[in-house]
Amino acid sequence: MPTPAPPPGRQGIPAPPGGHALWVDPDELRQVHVSPSASLPVSEEISAGGLVVDDDDVPRAAVIARRNRGGRLEWCLPKGHLEGDETPEEAAVREIREETGIQGTVESHVGTIDYWFTGDDRRVHKVVHHFLLRAVGGILTVEDDPDQEAEAAAWIPLDELESRLAYPNERRIAHAAHEALRGRPTWTHVRSSITTHRASDA
């Protein structure tokens, strides 16, 4: 089959085998393509949580298991949104108690995870403050979680925690907390950008 002749004014432009002449309208090249997310409203979210650690000979942290969007169970640090006039420290104590059953007192701030994600109707700047807490009471349970997101809770030795947590940013937080307990306090601030729909707070 012969190749169609190029339209007038577009001479000398090669055509692919069996196709039409390749041509791009110069006016289209001048158009600026704006990402749909650029016009979305922006909101700020602040959460808090962290590691509550017991005083056993082998220090352990209470962590929770949640289902991700794919239905898989993943181990993560307890955390949640600030409520009312709460400070991040107060929210961390409350969220850890609700999601693990363990009452703790704040020892230090060990790190912050700072990221963006895009939802259906907005872009969100999320900041999650993480603290190191000492366990002072309570029984390990997820029965008091008001959102019923935590399906299980467990004490994990700190030496194993980095390999058990599902999210890299939380593993960095766990490392910073472990260093603080060894007398080598560090602080970490993790920034990242998530351009898909919300997958997790980590």
Side-chain angles (χ1 to χ4, degrees):
M1 173 189 294
T3 302
R10 300 175 189 173
Q11 308 298 330
I13 299 173
H20 296 285
L22 299 175
W23 184 79
V24 177
D25 187 339
D27 291 333
E28 289 182 5
L29 292 177
R30 293 191 198 94
Q31 293 178 2
V32 177
H33 296 283
V34 179
S35 168
S37 65
S39 61
L40 292 175
V42 173
S43 64
E44 301 279 337
E45 289 185 4
I46 301 177
S47 293
L51 294 89
V52 59
V53 178
D54 65 9
D55 285 322
D56 275 9
D57 293 337
V58 178
R60 305 174 301 170
V63 298
I64 60 171
R66 290 177 173 167
R67 299 232 172 241
N68 64 16
R69 291 170 65 89
R72 186 163 53 97
L73 208 59
E74 296 178 324
W75 290 100
C76 55
L77 300 177
K79 60 191 171 294
H81 293 97
L82 275 63
E83 295 182 357
D85 296 327
E86 280 184 324
T87 65
E89 291 88 346
E90 290 168 341
V93 170
R94 176 184 53 76
E95 286 288 342
I96 288 171
R97 183 185 66 248
E98 290 177 352
E99 294 189 347
T100 69
I102 303 300
Q103 180 70 38
T105 59
V106 173
E107 295 265 312
S108 63
H109 181 226
V110 292
T112 298
I113 297 174
D114 176 347
Y115 62 96
W116 291 81
F117 65 86
T118 302
D120 292 326
D121 59 353
R122 59 186 177 138
R123 294 186 71 229
V124 179
H125 180 214
K126 177 96 174 186
V127 177
V128 188
H129 298 288
H130 288 83
F131 298 88
L132 173 63
L133 289 76
R134 290 280 183 183
V136 295
I139 299 172
L140 195 67
T141 179
V142 296
E143 294 302 317
D144 297 325
D145 178 11
D147 299 323
Q148 298 298 302
E149 292 180 351
E151 293 193 21
W155 287 110
I156 304 295
L158 286 184
D159 288 338
E160 301 175 17
L161 191 56
E162 288 181 55
S163 64
R164 297 286 294 275
L165 291 173
Y167 304 111
N169 289 344
E170 291 195 349
R171 292 197 286 270
R172 295 186 186 100
I173 296 292
H175 176 77
H178 201 181
E179 291 295 290
L181 286 171
R182 289 171 171 169
R184 299 192 291 257
T186 63
W187 187 80
T188 184
H189 190 148
V190 181
R191 283 197 174 111
S192 59
S193 177
I194 300 173
T195 55
T196 56
H197 298 296
R198 182 203 298 259
S200 74
D201 291 338

